[in-house]
Coordinates of all heavy atoms in Angstrom, one line a residue:
M1 N 94.7 99.6 82.5 CA 93.5 99.8 81.7 C 93.7 101.0 80.8 O 94.5 101.9 81.1 CB 92.3 100.1 82.6 CG 92.3 101.3 83.4 SD 91.0 101.6 84.5 CE 91.5 100.6 85.9
T2 N 92.9 101.1 79.7 CA 93.0 102.2 78.8 C 91.8 103.1 79.0 O 90.7 102.7 79.1 CB 93.1 101.7 77.4 OG1 94.1 100.8 77.3 CG2 93.3 102.8 76.4
R3 N 92.1 104.4 79.1 CA 91.0 105.4 79.4 C 91.2 106.5 78.4 O 92.4 106.9 78.1 CB 91.1 105.9 80.8 CG 90.7 104.9 81.9 CD 89.3 105.3 82.3 NE 88.9 104.4 83.4 CZ 89.0 104.8 84.7 NH1 89.6 105.9 85.0 NH2 88.5 104.0 85.6
L4 N 90.1 107.2 78.1 CA 90.3 108.5 77.5 C 90.9 109.5 78.5 O 90.6 109.4 79.7 CB 88.9 109.0 77.1 CG 88.3 108.5 75.8 CD1 86.9 109.0 75.6 CD2 89.1 108.9 74.6
I5 N 91.7 110.3 78.0 CA 92.2 111.4 78.9 C 91.2 112.4 79.1 O 90.6 113.0 78.2 CB 93.5 112.0 78.2 CG1 94.6 111.0 78.0 CG2 94.0 113.2 79.1 CD1 95.8 111.5 77.2
E6 N 90.9 112.6 80.4 CA 89.8 113.5 80.7 C 90.3 114.9 81.0 O 91.5 115.1 81.4 CB 89.1 113.0 82.0 CG 88.4 111.7 81.8 CD 87.9 111.0 83.0 OE1 88.0 111.7 84.1 OE2 87.5 109.9 83.0
A7 N 89.4 115.9 80.8 CA 89.8 117.3 81.1 C 90.3 117.4 82.6 O 89.7 116.8 83.5 CB 88.6 118.2 80.9
G8 N 91.3 118.1 82.8 CA 91.9 118.3 84.1 C 92.9 117.3 84.5 O 93.4 117.3 85.6
T9 N 93.2 116.3 83.6 CA 94.2 115.3 84.0 C 95.6 116.0 84.1 O 95.9 116.8 83.3 CB 94.3 114.3 82.8 OG1 93.0 113.6 82.8 CG2 95.4 113.3 83.1
E10 N 96.2 115.7 85.2 CA 97.5 116.3 85.5 C 98.5 115.3 85.9 O 98.8 115.1 87.1 CB 97.4 117.4 86.6 CG 96.6 118.6 86.2 CD 97.5 119.7 85.6 OE1 98.7 119.7 85.9 OE2 97.1 120.5 84.8
V11 N 99.0 114.5 85.0 CA 100.0 113.4 85.3 C 101.1 113.4 84.3 O 100.9 113.9 83.2 CB 99.3 112.1 85.4 CG1 98.3 112.0 86.6 CG2 98.6 111.7 84.1
D12 N 102.2 112.9 84.7 CA 103.3 112.7 83.7 C 103.4 111.3 83.3 O 103.3 110.4 84.1 CB 104.6 113.2 84.4 CG 104.6 114.6 84.8 OD1 104.0 115.4 84.0 OD2 105.2 115.0 85.8
C13 N 103.7 111.1 82.0 CA 103.9 109.8 81.4 C 105.1 109.1 82.1 O 106.2 109.8 82.2 CB 104.1 109.9 79.9 SG 104.5 108.4 79.1
A14 N 105.0 107.9 82.5 CA 106.1 107.2 83.2 C 107.2 106.8 82.2 O 108.3 106.5 82.6 CB 105.5 105.9 83.8
R15 N 107.0 106.9 80.9 CA 108.0 106.6 80.0 C 108.7 107.8 79.4 O 109.9 107.9 79.5 CB 107.5 105.8 78.8 CG 108.5 105.4 77.8 CD 108.1 104.3 76.9 NE 109.2 103.7 76.2 CZ 109.5 104.0 74.9 NH1 108.8 104.9 74.3 NH2 110.5 103.5 74.3
C16 N 108.0 108.7 78.9 CA 108.6 109.9 78.2 C 108.7 111.1 79.1 O 109.5 112.0 78.8 CB 107.9 110.2 76.9 SG 106.3 111.0 77.1
G17 N 108.0 111.1 80.2 CA 108.1 112.2 81.2 C 107.3 113.4 80.9 O 107.3 114.4 81.6
E18 N 106.7 113.3 79.7 CA 105.9 114.5 79.3 C 104.5 114.4 79.9 O 103.9 113.3 80.2 CB 105.8 114.6 77.8 CG 107.1 115.0 77.3 CD 107.1 115.4 75.8 OE1 106.0 115.6 75.3 OE2 108.1 115.4 75.1
R19 N 103.8 115.5 80.1 CA 102.5 115.6 80.7 C 101.5 114.8 79.8 O 101.5 115.0 78.6 CB 102.1 117.1 80.8 CG 100.9 117.4 81.5 CD 100.8 116.8 82.9 NE 101.9 117.1 83.8 CZ 102.0 118.1 84.7 NH1 101.0 118.9 84.8 NH2 103.0 118.2 85.5
V20 N 100.7 114.1 80.5 CA 99.6 113.4 79.8 C 98.4 114.4 80.0 O 97.9 114.5 81.0 CB 99.2 112.1 80.5 CG1 98.0 111.4 79.8 CG2 100.4 111.1 80.4
K21 N 98.1 115.1 78.9 CA 97.1 116.1 79.1 C 96.0 116.0 78.1 O 96.1 115.5 77.0 CB 97.8 117.5 79.0 CG 98.3 117.9 77.6 CD 98.9 119.3 77.7 CE 99.5 119.6 76.3 NZ 100.6 120.5 76.4
F22 N 94.9 116.6 78.5 CA 93.7 116.6 77.7 C 93.8 117.6 76.6 O 94.2 118.7 76.8 CB 92.5 117.0 78.7 CG 91.2 117.2 78.0 CD1 90.5 116.0 77.6 CD2 90.7 118.4 77.7 CE1 89.3 116.2 77.0 CE2 89.5 118.6 77.1 CZ 88.8 117.5 76.7
Q23 N 93.4 117.1 75.4 CA 93.3 118.1 74.3 C 91.9 117.9 73.7 O 91.5 116.9 73.3 CB 94.3 117.7 73.2 CG 95.8 117.8 73.6 CD 96.7 117.2 72.6 OE1 97.0 116.0 72.7 NE2 97.2 118.1 71.7
A24 N 91.2 119.1 73.7 CA 89.8 119.0 73.3 C 89.5 118.4 72.0 O 88.5 117.8 71.8 CB 89.3 120.5 73.4
R25 N 90.4 118.6 71.0 CA 90.1 118.2 69.7 C 90.6 116.8 69.3 O 90.4 116.3 68.3 CB 90.6 119.2 68.7 CG 89.8 120.5 68.6 CD 90.3 121.5 67.6 NE 91.7 121.9 67.9 CZ 92.6 122.2 66.9 NH1 92.2 122.3 65.7 NH2 93.8 122.6 67.2
V26 N 91.4 116.3 70.2 CA 92.0 115.0 70.0 C 91.5 114.0 71.0 O 91.7 114.3 72.2 CB 93.6 115.0 70.0 CG1 94.2 113.7 69.6 CG2 94.1 116.1 69.1
K27 N 91.0 112.9 70.6 CA 90.6 111.9 71.6 C 91.8 111.0 71.9 O 92.1 110.0 71.3 CB 89.5 111.0 71.0 CG 88.2 111.7 70.8 CD 87.4 111.6 72.1 CE 86.0 112.2 71.8 NZ 85.4 112.8 73.0
S28 N 92.6 111.5 72.9 CA 93.8 110.8 73.3 C 93.5 109.7 74.3 O 92.6 109.9 75.1 CB 94.8 111.8 73.9 OG 95.1 112.8 72.9
L29 N 94.3 108.7 74.3 CA 94.1 107.6 75.3 C 95.3 107.6 76.2 O 96.5 107.9 75.8 CB 94.0 106.3 74.6 CG 92.8 106.1 73.8 CD1 92.9 104.8 73.0 CD2 91.5 106.0 74.7
Q30 N 95.1 107.3 77.4 CA 96.2 107.0 78.4 C 96.0 105.6 78.9 O 94.9 105.0 78.9 CB 96.1 108.0 79.5 CG 94.8 107.9 80.4 CD 94.8 108.8 81.6 OE1 95.8 109.0 82.2 NE2 93.6 109.3 81.9
V31 N 97.1 105.1 79.4 CA 97.1 103.8 80.0 C 97.4 104.0 81.5 O 98.4 104.6 81.9 CB 98.1 102.8 79.4 CG1 98.1 101.5 80.2 CG2 97.8 102.6 77.9
I32 N 96.5 103.5 82.4 CA 96.7 103.6 83.8 C 97.0 102.2 84.4 O 96.3 101.3 84.1 CB 95.4 104.1 84.5 CG1 95.0 105.5 83.8 CG2 95.6 104.2 86.0 CD1 93.7 106.0 84.3
C33 N 98.2 102.1 85.1 CA 98.6 100.8 85.6 C 98.7 100.9 87.1 O 99.4 101.8 87.6 CB 100.0 100.5 85.0 SG 99.9 100.2 83.2
N34 N 98.1 100.0 87.7 CA 98.4 99.7 89.2 C 99.7 98.9 89.2 O 99.7 97.8 88.6 CB 97.3 99.0 89.9 CG 96.1 100.0 90.1 OD1 96.3 100.9 90.9 ND2 95.0 99.8 89.5
V35 N 100.7 99.4 89.9 CA 102.0 98.7 90.0 C 102.1 98.0 91.3 O 101.9 98.6 92.4 CB 103.1 99.6 89.8 CG1 104.5 98.9 89.9 CG2 103.0 100.3 88.4
Y36 N 102.3 96.7 91.3 CA 102.5 95.9 92.6 C 103.9 95.5 92.8 O 104.6 95.1 91.8 CB 101.6 94.7 92.5 CG 100.1 95.0 92.5 CD1 99.5 95.3 91.3 CD2 99.4 95.1 93.7 CE1 98.1 95.6 91.3 CE2 98.1 95.4 93.7 CZ 97.4 95.6 92.5 OH 96.1 95.9 92.5
V37 N 104.4 95.7 94.0 CA 105.8 95.3 94.3 C 105.7 94.2 95.4 O 105.1 94.5 96.4 CB 106.6 96.5 94.8 CG1 108.0 96.1 95.3 CG2 106.7 97.6 93.7
R38 N 106.2 93.1 95.0 CA 106.2 91.9 95.9 C 104.7 91.7 96.4 O 104.4 91.5 97.6 CB 107.1 92.1 97.1 CG 108.5 92.0 96.8 CD 109.5 92.1 98.0 NE 110.5 93.0 97.8 CZ 110.5 94.2 98.4 NH1 109.6 94.6 99.2 NH2 111.5 95.1 98.1
G39 N 103.8 91.7 95.4 CA 102.4 91.4 95.7 C 101.6 92.5 96.4 O 100.4 92.3 96.7
R40 N 102.2 93.6 96.7 CA 101.5 94.7 97.3 C 101.4 95.9 96.4 O 102.4 96.2 95.7 CB 102.2 95.2 98.6 CG 102.3 94.1 99.6 CD 102.9 94.6 100.9 NE 101.9 94.5 102.0 CZ 102.1 95.1 103.2 NH1 103.2 95.7 103.5 NH2 101.2 94.9 104.1
W41 N 100.2 96.6 96.5 CA 100.1 97.8 95.6 C 101.1 98.8 96.0 O 101.3 99.1 97.2 CB 98.7 98.3 95.8 CG 98.4 99.5 94.9 CD1 98.0 99.5 93.6 CD2 98.6 100.9 95.3 NE1 97.9 100.8 93.1 CE2 98.3 101.6 94.1 CE3 99.0 101.5 96.4 CZ2 98.4 103.0 94.1 CZ3 99.1 102.9 96.4 CH2 98.8 103.6 95.3
D42 N 101.8 99.4 95.0 CA 102.8 100.3 95.3 C 102.5 101.7 94.7 O 102.6 102.7 95.4 CB 104.1 99.8 94.7 CG 105.3 100.7 95.1 OD1 105.6 100.8 96.3 OD2 105.9 101.3 94.2
R43 N 102.0 101.8 93.5 CA 101.8 103.1 92.9 C 101.0 102.9 91.6 O 100.7 101.8 91.2 CB 103.1 103.8 92.5 CG 103.9 103.0 91.5 CD 105.3 103.6 91.3 NE 106.1 103.0 90.3 CZ 106.7 101.8 90.5 NH1 106.7 101.2 91.6 NH2 107.4 101.3 89.5
V44 N 100.5 104.0 91.1 CA 99.8 104.1 89.8 C 100.8 104.8 88.8 O 101.3 105.8 89.1 CB 98.5 104.8 89.9 CG1 97.8 104.9 88.6 CG2 97.6 104.1 90.9
E45 N 100.9 104.2 87.7 CA 101.7 104.8 86.6 C 100.8 105.1 85.5 O 99.9 104.4 85.1 CB 102.8 103.9 86.1 CG 103.9 103.8 87.2 CD 105.1 103.0 86.7 OE1 105.0 102.3 85.6 OE2 106.2 103.0 87.3
H46 N 101.1 106.3 84.9 CA 100.3 106.7 83.7 C 101.2 106.8 82.5 O 102.4 107.1 82.6 CB 99.7 108.1 83.9 CG 98.8 108.2 85.1 ND1 97.4 108.2 84.9 CD2 99.0 108.2 86.4 CE1 96.8 108.3 86.1 NE2 97.7 108.3 87.1
Y47 N 100.7 106.4 81.4 CA 101.4 106.4 80.1 C 100.5 107.0 79.0 O 99.3 106.8 79.1 CB 101.8 105.0 79.7 CG 102.7 104.3 80.6 CD1 102.2 103.5 81.6 CD2 104.1 104.2 80.3 CE1 103.1 102.8 82.5 CE2 105.0 103.5 81.1 CZ 104.4 102.8 82.2 OH 105.3 102.1 83.0
H48 N 101.1 107.6 78.1 CA 100.4 107.8 76.8 C 100.2 106.4 76.2 O 101.1 105.6 76.4 CB 101.3 108.7 75.8 CG 101.6 110.0 76.3 ND1 102.9 110.4 76.7 CD2 100.9 111.1 76.5 CE1 102.9 111.6 77.1 NE2 101.7 112.1 77.0
E49 N 99.1 106.2 75.5 CA 98.9 104.9 75.0 C 100.0 104.4 74.1 O 100.5 103.3 74.2 CB 97.6 104.9 74.2 CG 97.2 103.5 73.9 CD 96.2 103.4 72.8 OE1 96.1 104.3 71.9 OE2 95.5 102.4 72.7
Q50 N 100.5 105.4 73.3 CA 101.6 105.0 72.3 C 102.9 104.7 73.1 O 103.6 103.7 72.7 CB 101.8 106.2 71.4 CG 102.8 105.8 70.3 CD 103.0 106.9 69.3 OE1 102.4 108.0 69.4 NE2 103.9 106.7 68.3
C51 N 103.2 105.4 74.1 CA 104.4 105.2 74.9 C 104.3 103.8 75.6 O 105.3 103.1 75.7 CB 104.5 106.2 76.0 SG 105.1 107.8 75.3
Y52 N 103.1 103.4 76.0 CA 103.0 102.1 76.7 C 103.3 101.0 75.7 O 104.1 100.1 76.1 CB 101.6 102.0 77.2 CG 101.4 100.8 78.1 CD1 101.9 100.8 79.4 CD2 100.8 99.7 77.7 CE1 101.8 99.7 80.2 CE2 100.7 98.5 78.5 CZ 101.2 98.6 79.8 OH 101.0 97.5 80.6
H53 N 102.8 101.1 74.5 CA 103.1 100.1 73.5 C 104.6 100.1 73.1 O 105.2 99.0 72.9 CB 102.2 100.2 72.3 CG 100.7 100.0 72.7 ND1 100.3 98.9 73.3 CD2 99.6 100.7 72.4 CE1 99.0 98.9 73.5 NE2 98.6 100.0 73.0
E54 N 105.1 101.3 73.0 CA 106.6 101.4 72.6 C 107.4 100.8 73.7 O 108.5 100.3 73.4 CB 106.9 102.9 72.4 CG 106.4 103.4 71.0 CD 106.7 104.8 70.8 OE1 107.3 105.5 71.7 OE2 106.3 105.3 69.7
A55 N 107.0 100.9 74.9 CA 107.7 100.3 76.1 C 107.6 98.8 76.1 O 108.2 98.2 77.0 CB 107.3 101.0 77.4
G56 N 106.8 98.2 75.3 CA 106.6 96.8 75.3 C 105.6 96.3 76.2 O 105.7 95.2 76.8
D57 N 104.6 97.1 76.5 CA 103.5 96.7 77.4 C 104.1 96.2 78.8 O 103.9 95.1 79.1 CB 102.6 95.6 76.8 CG 101.9 96.1 75.5 OD1 101.5 97.3 75.5 OD2 101.9 95.4 74.5
P58 N 104.8 97.1 79.5 CA 105.6 96.6 80.7 C 104.7 96.0 81.8 O 105.2 95.3 82.6 CB 106.3 97.9 81.1 CG 105.5 99.0 80.6 CD 105.0 98.5 79.2
H59 N 103.5 96.4 81.8 CA 102.6 95.8 82.9 C 101.5 94.9 82.3 O 100.4 94.8 82.8 CB 102.0 96.9 83.7 CG 103.1 97.8 84.4 ND1 103.9 97.3 85.3 CD2 103.4 99.1 84.2 CE1 104.8 98.3 85.7 NE2 104.5 99.4 85.0
G60 N 101.8 94.3 81.2 CA 100.8 93.5 80.5 C 100.0 94.3 79.5 O 100.0 95.5 79.5
V61 N 99.3 93.6 78.7 CA 98.6 94.2 77.6 C 97.4 94.9 78.3 O 96.6 94.3 79.1 CB 98.1 93.2 76.6 CG1 97.2 93.9 75.6 CG2 99.3 92.6 75.9
A62 N 97.2 96.2 77.9 CA 96.1 97.0 78.5 C 94.8 96.5 78.0 O 94.6 96.2 76.9 CB 96.3 98.4 78.1
A63 N 93.9 96.3 79.0 CA 92.5 95.8 78.6 C 91.7 97.0 78.1 O 91.8 98.1 78.6 CB 91.9 95.2 79.9
Ligands
ZN1 ZN1 104.6 109.4 77.0

């Protein structure tokens, strides 16, 4: 899913490795993906919205 990055967000982008951080003057978007391995929930990955698209939407097109 695509979400606005909220104040206090402290996660690293799964693609570029840089912090996905809140910037007060920029409405940035992040993509949050629940990753399933063999049908079971494994982890949550965060991406900058742009990184997610550059990666080829690895977990499907974000809703
Ligand atoms: Zn990124």
Side-chain angles (χ1 to χ4, degrees):
M1 68 182 81
T2 306
R3 286 257 184 95
L4 280 174
I5 299 174
E6 294 170 6
T9 297
E10 289 271 336
V11 293
D12 294 326
C13 175
R15 181 163 192 261
C16 71
E18 290 188 18
R19 187 56 49 100
V20 178
K21 69 178 179 212
F22 175 77
Q23 293 171 276
R25 286 183 298 154
V26 184
K27 291 276 186 208
S28 302
L29 292 171
Q30 62 176 324
V31 176
I32 302 172
C33 296
N34 284 296
V35 179
Y36 293 86
V37 176
R38 289 185 230 104
R40 300 185 115 188
W41 183 87
D42 187 61
R43 65 190 181 277
V44 177
E45 289 185 347
H46 297 257
Y47 297 84
H48 301 107
E49 190 200 25
Q50 187 179 356
C51 287
Y52 190 75
H53 293 310
E54 286 175 0
D57 300 317
H59 301 296
V61 176

